[in-house]
DNA sequence: GCAAACTATACCGTTAGAGTATAGATTAAT
DNA sequence: ATTAATCTATACTCTAACGGTATAGTTTGC
């Protein structure tokens, strides 16, 4: 029931990139040092953000990373899903095989957890990085 | 970001025990069969519920398990915490070592996640097993 | 005292998490 | 064209957690 380390790093990566001037790009090395993330691990982790279209990468000399869109349009949920995949707080909400034992309809546990998950998703989706930076 | 299998089993164990007549007790075998939980695993898992004061156990012949209190007074949160310990959606909310890199005050990520965690805890604590059963 | 139940430990196999390593591709500057 | 800085791809390692099983022990009712 915990976001993993890569997700936490990713929050900080995106937050840092959000603080850059428009057009400015940062190297992996810079980000790693600033945010105290192991360099190699950052390089691996940031790939998910690139693939998800949150971060843009520039190769070669003078290369680096920058946000692919406005911080206002990136939410915590976007980052979580980029790194960990869809938010599912219980197995039975992922694989239906796991649920509905001897209940004809979805069991009460299932339904209530579904509601809680929806709330969680709504909350994560309700915070963008422009707001975060402003606080 | 997912509740584990033991927690899910525990929800169903408590839900089943909630459905029993007052004073009635169920053996591990019965619960295991009804809820399709591996017997040995159930015996191990249910210990957390006993230790947390959610379930009472009766040893010896005619022994078994029953709720230690009214279903109305047991929430999803109680069960989650009994099995997994305190809810912490991010490392930085558990060990402060992990947070506050070069921020003087707690970083914005920290603060927002703290709020989301509080919501989650409130939601989990807002559903008791009497309600669940009634649905 | 025996059998049916729970209790306590410890063990096992698999998977995910966190991080490292190595080789390759791209680009700018020279 | 060469070189050096940079990202990309893949694969590897180590550890801990997860999910489950096993064995031996204790309690209790008959």
């Amino acid at each position: 029931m915990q976001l993993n380390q890569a997700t936490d790093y990713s929050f900080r990566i995106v937050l840092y990139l959000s603080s850059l001037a428009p057009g400015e790009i940062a190297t992996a090395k810079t980000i790693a040092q600033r945010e105290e993330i192991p360099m190699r691990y950052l390089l691996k982790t940031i790939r998910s953000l690139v693939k998800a279209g949150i971060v843009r990468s520039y190769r070669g000399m003078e290369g680096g990373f920058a946000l692919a869109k406005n911080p206002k349009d990136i939410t915590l949920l976007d980052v979580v899903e980029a790194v960990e995949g869809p938010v599912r707080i219980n197995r039975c909400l992922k694989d239906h095989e796991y649920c509905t034992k001897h209940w004809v309809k979805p069991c009460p546990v299932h339904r209530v957890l579904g509601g809680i998950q929806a709330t969680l998703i709504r909350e994560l989706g309700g915070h963008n990085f422009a707001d975060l930076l402003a606080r």
Side-chain angles (χ1 to χ4, degrees), chain A:
Chain A
M1 199 53 185
Q2 199 174 293
L3 296 164
N4 61 32
Q5 187 66 11
T7 303
D8 187 54
Y9 285 158
S10 296
F11 287 153
R12 295 167 204 286
I13 292 168
V14 174
L15 190 62
Y16 175 61
L17 294 179
S18 297
S19 75
L20 300 182
E24 190 178 355
I25 75 181
T27 64
K29 196 174 167 193
T30 304
I31 305 173
Q33 285 172 351
R34 279 270 312 190
E35 298 301 326
E36 300 178 30
I37 301 171
M39 168 78 165
R40 302 326 281 267
Y41 194 53
L42 177 142
L43 281 166
K44 183 166 78 168
T45 300
I46 205 170
R47 301 260 72 234
S48 322
L49 300 175
V50 172
K51 282 177 186 156
I54 295 170
V55 167
R56 261 205 73 175
S57 68
Y58 301 86
R59 307 180 65 172
M61 264 183 105
E62 309 281 283
F65 300 91
L67 290 188
K69 43 186 176 178
N70 196 301
K72 208 187 81 181
D73 298 322
I74 304 170
T75 67
L76 290 179
L77 181 64
D78 293 331
V79 173
V80 171
E81 290 187 330
V83 180
E84 305 192 7
V87 174
R88 293 292 136 80
I89 65 172
N90 193 307
R91 284 234 271 244
C92 74
L93 295 167
K94 184 174 357 181
D95 292 311
H96 271 251
E97 292 304 309
Y98 284 110
C99 196
T100 313
K101 304 285 182 190
H102 48 77
W103 300 81
V104 183
K105 310 172 190 177
C107 76
V109 173
H110 183 115
R111 262 179 294 137
V112 169
L113 289 180
I116 293 174
Q117 176 175 289
T119 303
L120 180 61
I121 289 174
R122 205 178 320 118
E123 289 256 331
L124 286 170
H127 295 277
N128 67 65
F129 281 83
D131 289 350
L132 277 179
L133 205 61
R135 300 249 166 101

